[in-house]
Amino acid sequence: MKKIIHISIGTIIVLIGLLLAYLAYLSLTYYRQPNLKLTPYNQQHTQLTTNTPYRIATYNIGYASYSPEYSFFMDGGKYSVAFSQEDVLTNLHGIVSTLKNLKLDFACLQEIDQEATRSYYQNQIDYVTKKLPDFTYTYGQNYDSPYLFYPFKKPIGRAKSGLLTLSKGNIQQAKRVQLPIETSFNKFFDLDRAFTISDIPVQTGKTLSLINVHLSAFTKDKSVQAAQLKTLFRYMASAYQQGNYVLVCGDYNHDVLGNSADIFGKSKTPLTWTKPFPKQDLPQHFNLATQNLAQKKIPSVRNLNEAYQPGKTFVSLVDGFIISDNIQVDQLSVKQTNFNYSDHNPVVMRFQLLP
């Protein structure tokens, strides 16, 4: 009996030691990337002009891991990593084909992995940019997470992931701007957050400031989401005051329509990522583009608590565009992909820069 007790105590001590060592590893390897300049690659030489129709899409590609059958553990589902490397490549192929078929001049992609356990270490930035060789691009890291040993049966592992901005015009300069996040232990799960600004010259001498953003989804601290939006709005206003055209594209993890539950006939119980977007707090001279989206009733996101079941799975609209008043929206829609390659559908806009 004493021998069994000694073995049990020894096992407990070892487990506690391993836990403390792991917590120390998380703390020591955790860091936040500061504001920094980004390098534009593969420069194109098309110059933007006023009164010319352009097409742009914003698309959270869900690190090419969210097939329709997929559910995610943080949403109450089953899985933590993609089904297989082959599945990731199949989804990447579908994502690129979708972007090509949209005949775009610009694209903003979120949740694109550079190196991650969850997507079998496929460098998705390389994959996408090689398949779309006619675009200048900038990449800004959103987060570089240490290895998360959770869930225990199939850990999500480590992830280096971010924001990819593609432009047919040359990008003169670009930067990454850090966003506020939680400072509690929750920071290891909701991860770092940032947005990127890519400045694209216009023939008139002005600049189009194209902002790509992905706000926090799982934080329960409302002040963090409010602080993120406040930081974003401040940079938008500053760019506009400099005389720029300002176009924000991204996944806001807020209900863009404000009443998506009514429009899509879904539960009104709010999730951490379905609070109404605070349009009333937008800076002067800015609007959230929503033209005809409610009438068309095509969602941009699905819940990952279960495999996708059309008509049953919770859906909403959290992706889209914020535009300054010197930009004219000609057309706005959500491209229906039936969530075949991601838990999001791309949102597409045709616009013009006003003289």
Side-chain angles (χ1 to χ4, degrees), residues 33 58 64-65 89 92 94 118 167 169 185 195 206-207 248 260 276 284 286 320-321 332 352:
Q33 198 174 58
T58 182
S65 298
L89 289 171
L92 279 173
R118 62 192 185 182
S167 168
F185 191 77
F195 61 86
K206 290 188 174 184
T207 297
V248 184
S260 287
Q284 189 178 6
F286 285 91
F321 305 97
L332 182 67
Q352 297 182 46

Side-chain angles (χ1 to χ4, degrees), residues 33-39 139-141 174-178:
Q33 198 174 58
N35 294 355
L36 50 81
K37 290 183 179 180
L38 302 176
T39 302
Y139 170 75
Q141 180 181 297
K175 61 183 176 182
R176 175 195 190 272
V177 179
Q178 186 186 86

Side-chain angles (χ1 to χ4, degrees), residues 11 43 49 51 76 267 289 310 338-339:
T11 301
Q43 286 283 19
T49 57
N51 293 327
S267 168
N338 295 307
F339 304 111

Side-chain angles (χ1 to χ4, degrees), residues 115-164:
E115 183 182 14
T117 310
R118 62 192 185 182
S119 53
Y120 292 89
Y121 295 95
Q122 172 71 47
N123 189 325
Q124 299 176 356
I125 296 95
D126 279 357
Y127 183 97
V128 171
T129 54
K130 285 176 180 175
K131 296 291 185 181
L132 299 171
D134 299 330
F135 289 86
T136 309
Y137 68 92
T138 59
Y139 170 75
Q141 180 181 297
N142 217 5
Y143 49 80
D144 184 1
S145 165
Y147 194 97
L148 296 178
F149 205 85
Y150 187 80
F152 300 118
K153 288 185 178 180
K154 190 79 170 178
I156 193 170
R158 69 177 300 260
K160 185 183 286 188
S161 187
L163 309 160
L164 181 67

Side-chain angles (χ1 to χ4, degrees), residues 23 67 141 221 264 308:
L23 293 175
S67 305
Q141 180 181 297
D221 187 343
F264 297 112
Y308 179 54

Side-chain angles (χ1 to χ4, degrees), residues 28-173:
L28 292 171
T29 56
Y30 178 83
Y31 77 99
R32 297 203 66 197
Q33 198 174 58
N35 294 355
L36 50 81
K37 290 183 179 180
L38 302 176
T39 302
Y41 295 99
N42 193 41
Q43 286 283 19
Q44 304 299 299
H45 301 291
T46 301
Q47 192 163 36
L48 304 188
T49 57
T50 57
N51 293 327
T52 301
Y54 294 109
R55 285 173 62 83
I56 184 170
T58 182
Y59 194 4
N60 182 330
I61 69 167
Y63 44 94
S65 298
Y66 297 147
S67 305
E69 301 81 14
Y70 195 93
S71 62
F72 186 52
F73 77 100
M74 287 189 71
D75 282 301
K78 297 180 180 179
Y79 308 108
S80 53
V81 301
F83 290 139
S84 66
Q85 186 176 38
E86 182 182 8
D87 204 54
V88 171
L89 289 171
T90 297
N91 289 335
L92 279 173
H93 176 78
I95 288 161
V96 169
S97 295
T98 299
L99 294 172
K100 285 182 176 179
N101 291 336
L102 289 172
K103 302 186 185 307
L104 301 169
D105 301 289
F106 309 92
C108 295
L109 307 185
Q110 302 86 38
E111 280 202 299
I112 182 165
D113 278 356
Q114 182 179 356
E115 183 182 14
T117 310
R118 62 192 185 182
S119 53
Y120 292 89
Y121 295 95
Q122 172 71 47
N123 189 325
Q124 299 176 356
I125 296 95
D126 279 357
Y127 183 97
V128 171
T129 54
K130 285 176 180 175
K131 296 291 185 181
L132 299 171
D134 299 330
F135 289 86
T136 309
Y137 68 92
T138 59
Y139 170 75
Q141 180 181 297
N142 217 5
Y143 49 80
D144 184 1
S145 165
Y147 194 97
L148 296 178
F149 205 85
Y150 187 80
F152 300 118
K153 288 185 178 180
K154 190 79 170 178
I156 193 170
R158 69 177 300 260
K160 185 183 286 188
S161 187
L163 309 160
L164 181 67
T165 301
L166 301 155
S167 168
K168 285 283 182 74
N170 69 299
I171 296 176
Q172 192 171 47
Q173 61 183 6

